[in-house]
Amino acid sequence: EIVMTQSPATLSVSPGERATLSCRASQSVSSTLAWYQKKPGQAPRLLIYGASTRATGIPARFSGSGSGTEFTLTISSLQSEDFAVYYCQQYNNWPYSFGQGTKLEIK
Amino acid sequence: EVQLVESGGGLVKPGGSLRLSCAASGFTFSHYSLNWVRQAPGKGLEWVSSISSTSSYIYYADSVKGRFTISRDNAKNSLYLQMNSLRAEDTAVYYCAREISNWGLDYWGQGTLVAVSS
């Protein structure tokens, strides 16, 4: 089973600033890594797939990078609607697995 | 427009059973793998189960293996999750999600709440 570890657990950033979220896999998942945004009472939203490809309709301020075991989600200039919990997920091997999440909060 | 609508959640006693359904529309249902993902109160997302487009491949998380059964009916555009021997730790919002190969889970339903309590 592949364990996904996200850091930090909570990130406090001011609107307009850059946020960098990390995700580490316990073994290589190649580029089969997705990022999701989750807000309370809403369904998760796919942001990034294939480690670096933005999903349909996702703003260009969201970018993903990495491969193998180390991945990063960057939000270049935070908007008010970006404050949420972010999850990484590997879909390289079953069982699929999510990280524990990073809560992005307003500073 | 792609839509996934879960139903069947509710309050059940420990040891009880429940069957969740997910009705799909707006896409060719039989072409896609589907997944169940859950989120317990105050916790993160947890993958539960996957089923391939023709039901040839089925996978479960260890936490539900032997108790939950995923299935689908491509003629009815519906996904199911039969949950038996329910435990308090199965309390969660359960989401169905469409999977595109090499893309991850691109569309999600709004979820249905399952509460296991005596």
Side-chain angles (χ1 to χ4, degrees), chain B residues 10-81:
Chain B
L11 177 62
V12 61
K13 289 181 168 52
S17 298
L18 215 52
R19 189 194 197 205
L20 305 184
S21 299
C22 174
S25 60
F27 65 100
T28 305
F29 184 80
S30 61
H31 288 185
Y32 293 88
S33 295
L34 297 161
N35 292 254
W36 288 99
V37 175
R38 67 185 181 183
Q39 184 174 34
K43 303 295 186 182
L45 299 175
E46 179 188 13
W47 173 80
V48 172
S49 184
S50 293
I51 186 167
S52 64
S53 58
T54 59
S55 305
S56 298
Y57 300 99
I58 288 175
Y59 303 93
Y60 297 99
D62 286 345
S63 58
V64 306
K65 200 173 294 182
R67 301 186 299 123
F68 289 12
T69 302
I70 191 172
S71 63
R72 63 190 294 163
D73 186 335
N74 286 346
K76 295 183 178 180
N77 288 354
S78 293
L79 172 71
Y80 306 101
L81 186 68

Side-chain angles (χ1 to χ4, degrees), chain A residues 44-87:
Chain A
R45 177 191 181 195
L46 176 66
L47 299 174
I48 301 286
Y49 64 90
S52 61
T53 303
R54 278 190 303 277
T56 304
I58 301 303
R61 64 181 181 273
F62 290 90
S63 63
S65 63
S67 67
T69 62
E70 300 285 341
F71 301 90
T72 300
L73 174 69
T74 301
I75 311 171
S76 60
S77 178
L78 281 163
Q79 307 297 304
S80 57
E81 62 266 28
D82 299 335
F83 292 95
V85 180
Y86 291 83
Y87 295 92

Side-chain angles (χ1 to χ4, degrees), chain B residues 10-16 18 83 85-92 94 113-118:
Chain B
L11 177 62
V12 61
K13 289 181 168 52
L18 215 52
M83 303 186 296
S85 303
L86 282 161
R87 306 166 179 167
E89 54 264 36
D90 295 318
T91 294
Y94 285 73
L113 176 62
V114 172
V116 184
S117 175
S118 55

